[in-house]
Amino acid sequence: MTVVIGFEGSANKIGIGIIRDGEVLSNPRRTYITPPGHGFLPSETARHHRAVVLTVLQEALQQAGLTPADIDCVAYTKGPGMGAPLLTLALVARTVAQLWGRPLVGVNHCIGHVEMGRLITQAHNPTVLYVSGGNTQVIAYSERRYRIFGETIDIAVGNCLDRFARVIKISNDPSPGYNIEQMAKRGSRYIELPYTVKGMDVSFSGILSFIEEAANKMLASAECSAEDLCFSLQETLFSMLVEITERAMAHCGSQEVLIVGGVGCNLRLQEMMGVMCKERGAKLFATDERFCIDNGAMIAQAGWEMFRSGQVTELQDSWITQRYRTDEVEVTWRD
């Protein structure tokens, strides 16, 4: 039995998880939350991670009922992500690996999400929609690579939602996306917004510019409510995502969709994707916030797969990178 500990800290979440042969033994997490109207800066996020990382590590071991001697491999997020937070967790993972005398594995963050989704849902060979604050991609596996069939050409869908939340001062606790989702449930009027799909790719920056400029004017004139804007933004963004996912399914002949990433736990997105899948006679797979949102167990799971297939990261190669595409990784653990 192989036990892997995973360190994740590429954005405002810090998580350390432990996996033993497909079983999640522990997965504690902390979130750096900023005041309404503010995002999170790399340096301040890294400071938060440094302050709590040892506490989270202790929690992970205690919840799993393990000691360092029980760990076979240490996995960490190599990228993509924010430089300072990534570096903080990489330093801790490197130190732990040397102190415990264990091999190190650098994991692609995006592939961590995909592998965790596959483990939890048991999806066989799905078309993957990966949606988060930093990434928006439609992915399918082919010939030892996770191929990107479509993606955002500017900002990620989660970033679009987060920045809109700042405009109308929505709370960042527990997350701006979650609070937009709750407000959207109370919205009743659809405001037409730019809808930009370019083949297999999407663009969100124009929608954001439009709604940033129009939001305060429309709210001040009582033309609509904040709830209506949240509803309209969600419906527009998610319709675009469903469209490109369906196109990728048709191209691949796929009958499964797996939604991963932080935005993936949005129930409205799951509902809309479910309607499309039902019409195609396909299956939808998704997870809840425990595994959709950035967490350590997903890095441990991808690290487990990599380690078992013979991949190890030497100490001199254990750097981090803010740019690390999903299709750069050779997937040695799948047929």
Side-chain angles (χ1 to χ4, degrees):
M1 290 166 57
T2 305
V3 180
V4 178
I5 187 167
F7 290 78
E8 158 59 27
S10 58
N12 69 327
K13 313 282 190 306
I14 173 172
I16 300 175
I18 300 177
I19 291 273
R20 180 174 59 203
D21 291 354
E23 179 188 1
V24 180
L25 301 182
S26 63
N27 199 20
R29 177 173 58 203
R30 297 285 191 283
T31 304
Y32 174 51
I33 296 172
T34 53
H38 295 266
F40 46 90
L41 297 173
S43 58
E44 293 172 359
T45 307
R47 193 176 303 122
H48 165 267
H49 291 2
R50 287 195 298 271
V52 300
V53 64
L54 295 181
T55 303
V56 180
L57 175 56
Q58 191 173 27
E59 281 180 17
L61 290 168
Q62 286 175 348
Q63 289 174 19
L66 300 177
T67 66
D70 300 313
I71 304 296
D72 296 305
C73 175
V74 177
Y76 75 98
T77 303
K78 183 176 179 177
M82 299 168 73
L86 276 173
L87 187 58
T88 299
L89 269 291
L91 282 168
V92 174
R94 255 184 241 148
T95 305
V96 162
Q98 291 179 86
L99 286 172
W100 297 352
R102 295 293 183 266
L104 194 63
V105 174
V107 173
N108 179 290
H109 178 87
C110 315
I111 286 178
H113 275 294
V114 175
E115 292 304 334
M116 197 66 199
R118 288 180 62 231
L119 171 68
I120 297 301
T121 65
Q122 294 296 295
H124 175 60
N125 187 27
T127 297
V128 180
L129 175 65
Y130 169 34
V131 277
S132 68
N135 298 276
T136 300
Q137 297 175 348
V138 179
I139 302 161
Y141 174 77
S142 175
E143 297 179 355
R144 304 190 94 178
R145 300 273 170 175
Y146 281 115
R147 312 285 175 176
I148 300 171
F149 278 79
E151 59 189 320
T152 174
I153 60 173
D154 39 53
I155 61 173
V157 63
N159 186 240
C160 182
L161 291 166
D162 292 350
R163 287 167 65 178
F164 169 68
R166 286 181 225 165
V167 172
I168 60 172
K169 301 291 192 292
I170 293 174
S171 171
N172 291 323
D173 188 9
S175 73
Y178 175 81
N179 293 325
I180 286 174
E181 180 183 1
Q182 305 316 307
M183 289 178 68
K185 291 174 183 175
R186 302 190 296 273
S188 57
R189 181 166 172 236
Y190 178 76
I191 312 297
E192 190 169 344
L193 301 173
Y195 183 100
T196 314
V197 173
K198 298 174 182 286
M200 284 299 300
D201 296 328
V202 288
S203 170
F204 300 121
S205 59
I207 303 168
L208 180 64
S209 297
F210 178 88
I211 204 165
E212 278 180 336
E213 187 178 334
N216 290 323
K217 292 178 188 172
M218 294 175 85
L219 293 174
S221 64
E223 189 178 334
C224 65
S225 66
E227 287 79 4
D228 292 335
L229 288 174
C230 291
F231 167 73
S232 303
L233 183 61
Q234 271 200 172
E235 294 298 301
T236 305
L237 298 179
F238 295 168
S239 295
M240 292 162 60
L241 295 173
V242 171
E243 179 183 335
I244 63 169
T245 304
E246 183 174 19
R247 196 170 287 135
M249 288 176 74
H251 181 85
C252 299
S254 172
Q255 288 298 299
E256 294 180 331
V257 174
L258 171 63
I259 306 177
V260 299
V263 180
C265 54
N266 185 299
L267 296 180
R268 178 56 184 153
L269 174 59
Q270 292 182 20
E271 181 185 13
M272 292 171 72
M273 195 69 72
V275 170
M276 181 272 287
C277 287
K278 188 176 179 183
E279 289 174 352
R280 294 183 64 86
K283 279 187 178 180
L284 173 65
F285 297 92
T287 65
D288 59 28
E289 68 280 353
R290 291 173 300 164
F291 304 115
C292 258
I293 296 169
D294 291 353
N295 62 91
M298 73 183 205
I299 302 304
Q301 174 60 17
W304 183 90
E305 295 278 15
M306 293 171 73
F307 181 62
R308 296 267 296 210
S309 69
Q311 292 195 44
V312 171
T313 303
E314 298 299 330
L315 192 63
Q316 63 267 27
D317 299 322
S318 61
W319 35 269
I320 56 101
T321 173
Q322 291 181 263
R323 292 172 177 82
Y324 190 15
R325 284 181 65 80
T326 312
D327 51 9
E328 285 181 43
V329 180
E330 185 180 4
V331 182
T332 54
W333 56 94
R334 289 189 64 175
D335 295 333

mmCIF file of all heavy atoms in Angstrom, residues 35-72:
data_model
loop_
_atom_site.group_PDB
_atom_site.id
_atom_site.type_symbol
_atom_site.label_atom_id
_atom_site.label_comp_id
_atom_site.label_asym_id
_atom_site.label_seq_id
_atom_site.Cartn_x
_atom_site.Cartn_y
_atom_site.Cartn_z
ATOM 1 N N PRO A 35 -11.194 41.450 2.620
ATOM 2 C CA PRO A 35 -12.441 42.215 2.787
ATOM 3 C C PRO A 35 -13.201 42.354 1.473
ATOM 4 O O PRO A 35 -12.603 42.225 0.389
ATOM 5 C CB PRO A 35 -11.956 43.589 3.284
ATOM 6 C CG PRO A 35 -10.569 43.371 3.775
ATOM 7 C CD PRO A 35 -10.006 42.244 2.963
ATOM 8 N N PRO A 36 -14.509 42.634 1.523
ATOM 9 C CA PRO A 36 -15.296 42.841 0.291
ATOM 10 C C PRO A 36 -14.677 43.931 -0.571
ATOM 11 O O PRO A 36 -14.193 44.946 -0.057
ATOM 12 C CB PRO A 36 -16.672 43.264 0.825
ATOM 13 C CG PRO A 36 -16.752 42.667 2.189
ATOM 14 C CD PRO A 36 -15.349 42.713 2.736
ATOM 15 N N GLY A 37 -14.673 43.716 -1.880
ATOM 16 C CA GLY A 37 -14.112 44.710 -2.794
ATOM 17 C C GLY A 37 -12.625 44.545 -3.043
ATOM 18 O O GLY A 37 -12.041 45.296 -3.816
ATOM 19 N N HIS A 38 -11.996 43.554 -2.394
ATOM 20 C CA HIS A 38 -10.555 43.349 -2.542
ATOM 21 C C HIS A 38 -10.261 41.929 -3.016
ATOM 22 O O HIS A 38 -10.959 40.978 -2.650
ATOM 23 C CB HIS A 38 -9.834 43.575 -1.205
ATOM 24 C CG HIS A 38 -9.916 44.977 -0.705
ATOM 25 N ND1 HIS A 38 -8.944 45.921 -0.954
ATOM 26 C CD2 HIS A 38 -10.868 45.611 0.018
ATOM 27 C CE1 HIS A 38 -9.287 47.069 -0.403
ATOM 28 N NE2 HIS A 38 -10.456 46.918 0.200
ATOM 29 N N GLY A 39 -9.197 41.801 -3.821
ATOM 30 C CA GLY A 39 -8.696 40.486 -4.199
ATOM 31 C C GLY A 39 -7.591 40.087 -3.243
ATOM 32 O O GLY A 39 -7.407 40.702 -2.191
ATOM 33 N N PHE A 40 -6.841 39.041 -3.595
ATOM 34 C CA PHE A 40 -5.726 38.635 -2.726
ATOM 35 C C PHE A 40 -4.401 38.787 -3.462
ATOM 36 O O PHE A 40 -4.238 38.326 -4.586
ATOM 37 C CB PHE A 40 -5.919 37.209 -2.195
ATOM 38 C CG PHE A 40 -6.334 36.177 -3.208
ATOM 39 C CD1 PHE A 40 -5.379 35.446 -3.903
ATOM 40 C CD2 PHE A 40 -7.674 35.933 -3.475
ATOM 41 C CE1 PHE A 40 -5.741 34.498 -4.832
ATOM 42 C CE2 PHE A 40 -8.056 34.973 -4.416
ATOM 43 C CZ PHE A 40 -7.078 34.258 -5.097
ATOM 44 N N LEU A 41 -3.465 39.476 -2.823
ATOM 45 C CA LEU A 41 -2.145 39.732 -3.405
ATOM 46 C C LEU A 41 -1.217 38.550 -3.124
ATOM 47 O O LEU A 41 -1.308 37.933 -2.061
ATOM 48 C CB LEU A 41 -1.547 41.008 -2.823
ATOM 49 C CG LEU A 41 -2.331 42.300 -3.108
ATOM 50 C CD1 LEU A 41 -1.741 43.465 -2.331
ATOM 51 C CD2 LEU A 41 -2.295 42.603 -4.607
ATOM 52 N N PRO A 42 -0.314 38.248 -4.055
ATOM 53 C CA PRO A 42 0.572 37.093 -3.863
ATOM 54 C C PRO A 42 1.367 37.131 -2.563
ATOM 55 O O PRO A 42 1.453 36.127 -1.849
ATOM 56 C CB PRO A 42 1.498 37.161 -5.084
ATOM 57 C CG PRO A 42 0.695 37.853 -6.124
ATOM 58 C CD PRO A 42 -0.146 38.863 -5.386
ATOM 59 N N SER A 43 1.953 38.282 -2.236
ATOM 60 C CA SER A 43 2.803 38.369 -1.038
ATOM 61 C C SER A 43 1.998 38.155 0.242
ATOM 62 O O SER A 43 2.434 37.449 1.162
ATOM 63 C CB SER A 43 3.512 39.728 -0.987
ATOM 64 O OG SER A 43 2.557 40.786 -0.989
ATOM 65 N N GLU A 44 0.792 38.748 0.304
ATOM 66 C CA GLU A 44 -0.050 38.601 1.501
ATOM 67 C C GLU A 44 -0.594 37.169 1.611
ATOM 68 O O GLU A 44 -0.719 36.621 2.702
ATOM 69 C CB GLU A 44 -1.202 39.605 1.449
ATOM 70 C CG GLU A 44 -0.732 41.052 1.571
ATOM 71 C CD GLU A 44 -1.858 42.048 1.330
ATOM 72 O OE1 GLU A 44 -2.998 41.621 1.047
ATOM 73 O OE2 GLU A 44 -1.578 43.262 1.423
ATOM 74 N N THR A 45 -0.894 36.562 0.461
ATOM 75 C CA THR A 45 -1.380 35.183 0.443
ATOM 76 C C THR A 45 -0.284 34.239 0.935
ATOM 77 O O THR A 45 -0.536 33.326 1.728
ATOM 78 C CB THR A 45 -1.832 34.787 -0.975
ATOM 79 O OG1 THR A 45 -2.764 35.758 -1.455
ATOM 80 C CG2 THR A 45 -2.482 33.421 -0.981
ATOM 81 N N ALA A 46 0.944 34.466 0.469
ATOM 82 C CA ALA A 46 2.078 33.637 0.902
ATOM 83 C C ALA A 46 2.312 33.781 2.397
ATOM 84 O O ALA A 46 2.619 32.798 3.094
ATOM 85 C CB ALA A 46 3.335 34.027 0.118
ATOM 86 N N ARG A 47 2.142 35.010 2.909
ATOM 87 C CA ARG A 47 2.318 35.246 4.357
ATOM 88 C C ARG A 47 1.280 34.449 5.144
ATOM 89 O O ARG A 47 1.593 33.856 6.179
ATOM 90 C CB ARG A 47 2.189 36.743 4.641
ATOM 91 C CG ARG A 47 2.650 37.155 6.035
ATOM 92 C CD ARG A 47 2.600 38.655 6.233
ATOM 93 N NE ARG A 47 3.398 39.358 5.243
ATOM 94 C CZ ARG A 47 2.933 40.283 4.407
ATOM 95 N NH1 ARG A 47 1.647 40.608 4.433
ATOM 96 N NH2 ARG A 47 3.723 40.881 3.555
ATOM 97 N N HIS A 48 0.061 34.421 4.646
ATOM 98 C CA HIS A 48 -1.005 33.627 5.293
ATOM 99 C C HIS A 48 -0.629 32.146 5.297
ATOM 100 O O HIS A 48 -0.746 31.455 6.313
ATOM 101 C CB HIS A 48 -2.327 33.830 4.538
ATOM 102 C CG HIS A 48 -3.377 32.821 4.890
ATOM 103 N ND1 HIS A 48 -3.558 31.651 4.157
ATOM 104 C CD2 HIS A 48 -4.285 32.776 5.900
ATOM 105 C CE1 HIS A 48 -4.539 30.947 4.700
ATOM 106 N NE2 HIS A 48 -4.999 31.603 5.748
ATOM 107 N N HIS A 49 -0.160 31.644 4.151
ATOM 108 C CA HIS A 49 0.194 30.228 4.036
ATOM 109 C C HIS A 49 1.336 29.862 4.996
ATOM 110 O O HIS A 49 1.303 28.798 5.628
ATOM 111 C CB HIS A 49 0.590 29.894 2.596
ATOM 112 C CG HIS A 49 -0.558 29.939 1.624
ATOM 113 N ND1 HIS A 49 -1.839 30.282 1.993
ATOM 114 C CD2 HIS A 49 -0.604 29.671 0.279
ATOM 115 C CE1 HIS A 49 -2.630 30.224 0.925
ATOM 116 N NE2 HIS A 49 -1.903 29.857 -0.125
ATOM 117 N N ARG A 50 2.332 30.753 5.089
ATOM 118 C CA ARG A 50 3.459 30.486 5.994
ATOM 119 C C ARG A 50 2.997 30.405 7.451
ATOM 120 O O ARG A 50 3.514 29.612 8.234
ATOM 121 C CB ARG A 50 4.534 31.580 5.859
ATOM 122 C CG ARG A 50 5.336 31.496 4.587
ATOM 123 C CD ARG A 50 6.605 32.343 4.672
ATOM 124 N NE ARG A 50 6.326 33.759 4.843
ATOM 125 C CZ ARG A 50 6.154 34.616 3.824
ATOM 126 N NH1 ARG A 50 6.205 34.174 2.572
ATOM 127 N NH2 ARG A 50 5.932 35.885 4.060
ATOM 128 N N ALA A 51 2.008 31.219 7.786
ATOM 129 C CA ALA A 51 1.535 31.276 9.178
ATOM 130 C C ALA A 51 0.783 30.014 9.595
ATOM 131 O O ALA A 51 0.771 29.665 10.780
ATOM 132 C CB ALA A 51 0.641 32.506 9.366
ATOM 133 N N VAL A 52 0.147 29.323 8.645
ATOM 134 C CA VAL A 52 -0.719 28.191 9.019
ATOM 135 C C VAL A 52 -0.227 26.832 8.534
ATOM 136 O O VAL A 52 -0.784 25.805 8.928
ATOM 137 C CB VAL A 52 -2.171 28.402 8.504
ATOM 138 C CG1 VAL A 52 -2.768 29.667 9.087
ATOM 139 C CG2 VAL A 52 -2.233 28.416 6.981
ATOM 140 N N VAL A 53 0.830 26.789 7.707
ATOM 141 C CA VAL A 53 1.199 25.535 7.048
ATOM 142 C C VAL A 53 1.555 24.415 8.026
ATOM 143 O O VAL A 53 1.154 23.260 7.845
ATOM 144 C CB VAL A 53 2.334 25.763 6.015
ATOM 145 C CG1 VAL A 53 3.627 26.238 6.680
ATOM 146 C CG2 VAL A 53 2.581 24.490 5.206
ATOM 147 N N LEU A 54 2.279 24.732 9.097
ATOM 148 C CA LEU A 54 2.670 23.676 10.040
ATOM 149 C C LEU A 54 1.471 23.145 10.826
ATOM 150 O O LEU A 54 1.397 21.949 11.131
ATOM 151 C CB LEU A 54 3.763 24.185 10.984
ATOM 152 C CG LEU A 54 5.097 24.537 10.307
ATOM 153 C CD1 LEU A 54 6.118 25.004 11.335
ATOM 154 C CD2 LEU A 54 5.642 23.348 9.518
ATOM 155 N N THR A 55 0.522 24.032 11.126
ATOM 156 C CA THR A 55 -0.714 23.605 11.805
ATOM 157 C C THR A 55 -1.503 22.656 10.913
ATOM 158 O O THR A 55 -1.997 21.614 11.357
ATOM 159 C CB THR A 55 -1.585 24.833 12.154
ATOM 160 O OG1 THR A 55 -0.816 25.729 12.951
ATOM 161 C CG2 THR A 55 -2.843 24.424 12.906
ATOM 162 N N VAL A 56 -1.630 23.019 9.626
ATOM 163 C CA VAL A 56 -2.376 22.178 8.683
ATOM 164 C C VAL A 56 -1.665 20.834 8.487
ATOM 165 O O VAL A 56 -2.311 19.782 8.406
ATOM 166 C CB VAL A 56 -2.563 22.902 7.330
ATOM 167 C CG1 VAL A 56 -3.330 22.031 6.344
ATOM 168 C CG2 VAL A 56 -3.313 24.225 7.523
ATOM 169 N N LEU A 57 -0.339 20.845 8.440
ATOM 170 C CA LEU A 57 0.432 19.604 8.301
ATOM 171 C C LEU A 57 0.190 18.680 9.501
ATOM 172 O O LEU A 57 -0.023 17.472 9.343
ATOM 173 C CB LEU A 57 1.922 19.932 8.169
ATOM 174 C CG LEU A 57 2.899 18.747 8.139
ATOM 175 C CD1 LEU A 57 2.551 17.765 7.028
ATOM 176 C CD2 LEU A 57 4.337 19.233 7.995
ATOM 177 N N GLN A 58 0.215 19.272 10.685
ATOM 178 C CA GLN A 58 -0.040 18.481 11.898
ATOM 179 C C GLN A 58 -1.448 17.889 11.886
ATOM 180 O O GLN A 58 -1.656 16.723 12.221
ATOM 181 C CB GLN A 58 0.151 19.370 13.134
ATOM 182 C CG GLN A 58 0.181 18.606 14.449
ATOM 183 C CD GLN A 58 0.544 19.514 15.624
ATOM 184 O OE1 GLN A 58 0.286 20.728 15.586
ATOM 185 N NE2 GLN A 58 1.141 18.950 16.651
ATOM 186 N N GLU A 59 -2.427 18.702 11.460
ATOM 187 C CA GLU A 59 -3.813 18.231 11.362
ATOM 188 C C GLU A 59 -3.930 17.058 10.386
ATOM 189 O O GLU A 59 -4.621 16.081 10.653
ATOM 190 C CB GLU A 59 -4.733 19.366 10.887
ATOM 191 C CG GLU A 59 -5.110 20.351 11.961
ATOM 192 C CD GLU A 59 -6.016 21.447 11.430
ATOM 193 O OE1 GLU A 59 -6.610 21.268 10.339
ATOM 194 O OE2 GLU A 59 -6.122 22.497 12.097
ATOM 195 N N ALA A 60 -3.249 17.178 9.244
ATOM 196 C CA ALA A 60 -3.323 16.133 8.218
ATOM 197 C C ALA A 60 -2.819 14.801 8.762
ATOM 198 O O ALA A 60 -3.451 13.753 8.563
ATOM 199 C CB ALA A 60 -2.521 16.548 6.987
ATOM 200 N N LEU A 61 -1.701 14.833 9.457
ATOM 201 C CA LEU A 61 -1.138 13.604 10.021
ATOM 202 C C LEU A 61 -2.023 13.046 11.133
ATOM 203 O O LEU A 61 -2.281 11.835 11.205
ATOM 204 C CB LEU A 61 0.274 13.864 10.550
ATOM 205 C CG LEU A 61 1.350 14.111 9.476
ATOM 206 C CD1 LEU A 61 2.628 14.645 10.110
ATOM 207 C CD2 LEU A 61 1.649 12.833 8.696
ATOM 208 N N GLN A 62 -2.520 13.929 11.991
ATOM 209 C CA GLN A 62 -3.355 13.481 13.112
ATOM 210 C C GLN A 62 -4.672 12.888 12.627
ATOM 211 O O GLN A 62 -5.113 11.840 13.107
ATOM 212 C CB GLN A 62 -3.615 14.647 14.079
ATOM 213 C CG GLN A 62 -2.404 15.016 14.919
ATOM 214 C CD GLN A 62 -2.646 16.243 15.791
ATOM 215 O OE1 GLN A 62 -3.641 16.967 15.617
ATOM 216 N NE2 GLN A 62 -1.732 16.501 16.721
ATOM 217 N N GLN A 63 -5.327 13.561 11.675
ATOM 218 C CA GLN A 63 -6.610 13.056 11.158
ATOM 219 C C GLN A 63 -6.437 11.711 10.454
ATOM 220 O O GLN A 63 -7.318 10.863 10.501
ATOM 221 C CB GLN A 63 -7.235 14.072 10.203
ATOM 222 C CG GLN A 63 -7.769 15.316 10.893
ATOM 223 C CD GLN A 63 -8.242 16.377 9.900
ATOM 224 O OE1 GLN A 63 -8.503 16.087 8.728
ATOM 225 N NE2 GLN A 63 -8.358 17.620 10.366
ATOM 226 N N ALA A 64 -5.293 11.519 9.819
ATOM 227 C CA ALA A 64 -5.025 10.257 9.127
ATOM 228 C C ALA A 64 -4.561 9.168 10.095
ATOM 229 O O ALA A 64 -4.549 7.986 9.740
ATOM 230 C CB ALA A 64 -3.973 10.469 8.042
ATOM 231 N N GLY A 65 -4.157 9.579 11.296
ATOM 232 C CA GLY A 65 -3.645 8.622 12.269
ATOM 233 C C GLY A 65 -2.307 8.048 11.855
ATOM 234 O O GLY A 65 -1.998 6.883 12.120
ATOM 235 N N LEU A 66 -1.493 8.888 11.191
ATOM 236 C CA LEU A 66 -0.203 8.430 10.682
ATOM 237 C C LEU A 66 0.948 9.251 11.267
ATOM 238 O O LEU A 66 0.745 10.340 11.801
ATOM 239 C CB LEU A 66 -0.167 8.554 9.155
ATOM 240 C CG LEU A 66 -1.204 7.764 8.346
ATOM 241 C CD1 LEU A 66 -1.043 8.072 6.864
ATOM 242 C CD2 LEU A 66 -1.083 6.271 8.595
ATOM 243 N N THR A 67 2.153 8.706 11.128
ATOM 244 C CA THR A 67 3.379 9.420 11.483
ATOM 245 C C THR A 67 4.186 9.601 10.196
ATOM 246 O O THR A 67 3.906 8.949 9.180
ATOM 247 C CB THR A 67 4.217 8.620 12.488
ATOM 248 O OG1 THR A 67 4.685 7.420 11.836
ATOM 249 C CG2 THR A 67 3.396 8.248 13.718
ATOM 250 N N PRO A 68 5.208 10.469 10.214
ATOM 251 C CA PRO A 68 6.042 10.637 9.014
ATOM 252 C C PRO A 68 6.617 9.319 8.483
ATOM 253 O O PRO A 68 6.806 9.173 7.270
ATOM 254 C CB PRO A 68 7.144 11.577 9.496
ATOM 255 C CG PRO A 68 6.478 12.410 10.553
ATOM 256 C CD PRO A 68 5.534 11.470 11.248
ATOM 257 N N ALA A 69 6.847 8.359 9.360
ATOM 258 C CA ALA A 69 7.410 7.071 8.935
ATOM 259 C C ALA A 69 6.450 6.297 8.024
ATOM 260 O O ALA A 69 6.877 5.425 7.255
ATOM 261 C CB ALA A 69 7.751 6.227 10.162
ATOM 262 N N ASP A 70 5.147 6.623 8.088
ATOM 263 C CA ASP A 70 4.147 5.917 7.280
ATOM 264 C C ASP A 70 4.027 6.478 5.864
ATOM 265 O O ASP A 70 3.382 5.881 5.005
ATOM 266 C CB ASP A 70 2.769 5.988 7.957
ATOM 267 C CG ASP A 70 2.773 5.352 9.329
ATOM 268 O OD1 ASP A 70 3.295 4.232 9.448
ATOM 269 O OD2 ASP A 70 2.256 5.987 10.278
ATOM 270 N N ILE A 71 4.623 7.651 5.624
ATOM 271 C CA ILE A 71 4.507 8.320 4.324
ATOM 272 C C ILE A 71 5.545 7.755 3.353
ATOM 273 O O ILE A 71 6.718 7.620 3.695
ATOM 274 C CB ILE A 71 4.701 9.849 4.475
ATOM 275 C CG1 ILE A 71 3.713 10.438 5.496
ATOM 276 C CG2 ILE A 71 4.573 10.541 3.119
ATOM 277 C CD1 ILE A 71 2.263 10.324 5.125
ATOM 278 N N ASP A 72 5.109 7.431 2.145
ATOM 279 C CA ASP A 72 6.013 6.878 1.130
ATOM 280 C C ASP A 72 6.535 7.924 0.157
ATOM 281 O O ASP A 72 7.599 7.741 -0.442
ATOM 282 C CB ASP A 72 5.298 5.777 0.335
ATOM 283 C CG ASP A 72 4.918 4.591 1.207
ATOM 284 O OD1 ASP A 72 5.817 4.031 1.859
ATOM 285 O OD2 ASP A 72 3.725 4.252 1.250
#
